[in-house]
Amino acid sequence: MKDVLVTGAGKGIGLAISRRLAKAGYGVIGAARSAPDEEFPGTFLRCDRPRGHRYSGYR
């Protein structure tokens, strides 16, 4: 079985892609800033930066 990582998997297109891949037999690892409202079809990682953190970009 192949595993895939889907970013933005908490809702919308990312969640739909995750469901489709899981149905096709892939192991799905989803990552997003917000957890999905519904059950996720694999392993879900909630990834968010700490409050007050500002991204300054590369210099």
Side-chain angles (χ1 to χ4, degrees), residues 21-59:
L21 289 169
K23 189 174 180 180
Y26 288 88
V28 179
I29 302 166
R33 288 187 282 172
S34 59
D37 294 333
E38 306 161 22
E39 188 172 337
F40 189 78
T43 302
F44 186 80
L45 305 172
R46 187 171 182 274
C47 306
D48 197 4
R49 61 180 180 259
R51 286 189 172 262
H53 179 274
R54 290 189 158 190
Y55 177 72
S56 60
Y58 295 101
R59 295 177 187 216

Side-chain angles (χ1 to χ4, degrees), residues 9-33:
K11 58 185 174 182
I13 294 172
L15 183 56
I17 290 171
S18 298
R19 288 184 181 140
R20 174 85 43 113
L21 289 169
K23 189 174 180 180
Y26 288 88
V28 179
I29 302 166
R33 288 187 282 172

